[in-house]
Amino acid sequence: MTALLALFWRDLRRAWGSGALWLPVVFFLLVATAFPFAVGPDAPLLARTGGGMLWVAALLAALLPIDRLIRPDKDAGVLDQLAVRGIADEVVAAVKIAAHAIGFGLPLLIALLPAAALLAQDAARVATIALGLAIAIPALASLAVLSAALTANLKGGNAIGGLLVLPLAVPLLIFGAGMLDPSGRGAVKLLAAASLLLTVIGPFAAGAALRGLRE
């Protein structure tokens, strides 16, 4: 338990150290600033399309740090030491998912406020997006850790990792954006179900990938 707590706090310090805490904030603001240039300064159009753009940005923000989620621990032998202590790879993956969910999730929700304002989202839509992101953050973290475990031995793992998890993230994007439709009342339940499924499966899939790194 002590080793797992140390792993959790170290991953959290790594996520928030050296200015990394502000990375999702800056990323969201860049997206929110650049998107109006692509679609034009049409406030009604931005209001309709901005919510979906924020969901895409949330997925990309979750994948930004995958290079530091698994590879440094693999190279330093930390994963081998945890395995020698008898700690299951699935438990290690679950701890890393929890740390990543907090590490990028809290800045993400903070960044949502100014980004949504730049994209002409009203208070009701901002609240809906915030609720959806809060539901989806554990699943996004699971996909990021799984992607990091699968690509830990590859150079340029960020690009490959994005391609690997994109099909799995599609339901989150569809149901998350569907919550913004006045007729999409059932989308929140579908989003919660998809997020729960990915969050439960994530540690087992990532654990299997971690075992593969040692073979």
Side-chain angles (χ1 to χ4, degrees), residues 69-152:
L69 294 179
I70 300 294
R71 185 176 298 168
D73 291 335
K74 179 187 76 71
D75 294 341
V78 174
L79 299 179
D80 294 332
Q81 290 296 322
L82 292 172
V84 168
R85 293 189 180 190
I87 299 176
D89 293 304
E90 290 79 6
V91 176
V92 174
V95 170
K96 285 188 165 293
I97 289 170
H100 184 45
I102 296 173
F104 94 94
L106 291 180
L108 190 73
L109 293 175
I110 294 172
L112 173 63
L113 296 177
L118 290 170
L119 293 175
Q121 304 296 297
D122 59 31
R125 287 175 71 87
V126 172
T128 302
I129 296 171
L131 173 61
L133 288 179
I135 293 172
I137 280 172
L140 293 175
S142 294
L143 293 178
V145 172
L146 173 59
S147 174
L150 290 173
T151 60

Side-chain angles (χ1 to χ4, degrees), residues 34-63:
F35 189 62
F37 288 100
V39 301
D42 185 343
L45 179 60
L46 286 176
R48 291 195 305 271
T49 60
M53 191 65 240
L54 289 174
W55 271 97
V56 174
L59 171 61
L60 296 178
L63 297 177

Side-chain angles (χ1 to χ4, degrees), residues 21-36:
L21 172 63
W22 300 106
L23 186 59
V25 178
V26 173
F27 182 80
F28 251 52
L29 291 178
L30 287 176
V31 171
T33 302
F35 189 62

